[in-house]
Amino acid sequence: MSDKEQKIALVSGANRGIGAAVAAGLSRAGVHVLLGCRDLKAGEEAAAPLVAEGGSVTPVQLDVTDAMSVAALAEKLQGDYGHIDILVNNAGVGLDYVPGMSMVEKMEQTLAINVVGGLRLTEAMVPLLEQSAAPRIVNVSSELASFGLRHDPAWDHHDKIMPTYAASKAAVNALTVGYAKALADKGIKVNAICPGYTATAATNFMPDRTVDQAAVVILQMALLEDDGPTGGFFNDQGALPW
């Protein structure tokens, strides 16, 4: 596969957890992965085993809350590649169970990363995505953002009360719908996904769902065919209610 034919994907928050699993999955699918991470050393450590197995992975410094970091990366990618094909907005945080913070502080920090951070990165990467033959944006959301599920008495996660996290992901869903419409004439498909309640550092490794299982639906949407959906909300079982 020539460099021109190889797809290029940028994954934010990719040095651990679900982001690292997505980076691995894309690399194994033959995609050149730009492994976004705040700490470049951590990114290099995450990339090393993928490179050792023959993957094409480049760690890049990325802090979605830092406008200068995002702008510098966009400029670098423009110079090095001239385009990207896939953007996975994975970087995120959930602070509802963190002690010692007020609800306002939790909301401010959560929105800064989950919503404004993803928006900042998307805005910076759209010009690069416009140069792709098959551009895709995947926004990592959560079924906790689904008003339909939360009003369904049969839904089995009513015990998970995470108001600031849920609100942030509802905003991510709203942005997904807006971007899907705004970018449709550019051929950019934009979808939101729920990876499921997964064993990561963010959940204290509580459930038994693995990061590889969580990555499946993200990979599906990142590698979506031209006849695939846009402006949707999905998990690995199919479409989710808004």
Side-chain angles (χ1 to χ4, degrees), residues 223-241:
L223 301 171
L224 199 64
E225 297 293 339
D226 288 342
D227 61 353
T230 189
F233 182 26
F234 304 91
N235 65 9
D236 55 9
Q237 302 300 308
L240 290 170

Side-chain angles (χ1 to χ4, degrees), residues 137-142 146 169-170 172-181 188-194 217 221 224 228-235 238-242:
I137 298 175
V138 185
N139 293 327
V140 176
S141 182
S142 169
S146 168
K169 294 303 186 179
V172 168
N173 285 358
L175 285 171
T176 298
V177 174
Y179 270 120
K181 291 184 181 297
I188 303 177
K189 292 184 180 291
V190 188
N191 289 290
I193 67 89
C194 172
V217 66
M221 291 297 154
L224 199 64
T230 189
F233 182 26
F234 304 91
N235 65 9
L240 290 170
W242 296 107

Side-chain angles (χ1 to χ4, degrees), residues 3 23 54 61 202:
D3 289 343
Q61 199 284 324

Side-chain angles (χ1 to χ4, degrees), residues 11 16 22 50 54 57 70 73 93 104 108 123 135-136 139 170 191 210 213-214 222-224 230:
V11 184
R16 66 177 187 173
V22 171
L50 299 177
V57 182
V70 173
L73 178 58
V93 66
V104 171
E108 288 176 338
E123 285 291 302
R136 308 287 182 257
N139 293 327
N191 289 290
T210 69
Q213 289 173 310
L223 301 171
L224 199 64
T230 189

Side-chain angles (χ1 to χ4, degrees), residues 139-230:
N139 293 327
V140 176
S141 182
S142 169
E143 62 186 2
L144 293 177
S146 168
F147 293 100
L149 288 177
R150 298 192 76 147
H151 285 283
D152 182 352
W155 188 53
D156 63 358
H157 291 310
H158 283 292
D159 60 325
K160 294 183 176 64
I161 303 171
M162 300 179 67
T164 62
Y165 179 78
S168 76
K169 294 303 186 179
V172 168
N173 285 358
L175 285 171
T176 298
V177 174
Y179 270 120
K181 291 184 181 297
L183 300 177
D185 63 344
K186 302 178 187 298
I188 303 177
K189 292 184 180 291
V190 188
N191 289 290
I193 67 89
C194 172
Y197 187 41
T198 304
T200 66
T203 62
N204 292 319
F205 303 97
M206 291 297 292
D208 58 6
R209 182 174 175 82
T210 69
V211 292
D212 290 331
Q213 289 173 310
V216 168
V217 66
I218 303 176
L219 296 171
Q220 289 173 344
M221 291 297 154
L223 301 171
L224 199 64
E225 297 293 339
D226 288 342
D227 61 353
T230 189

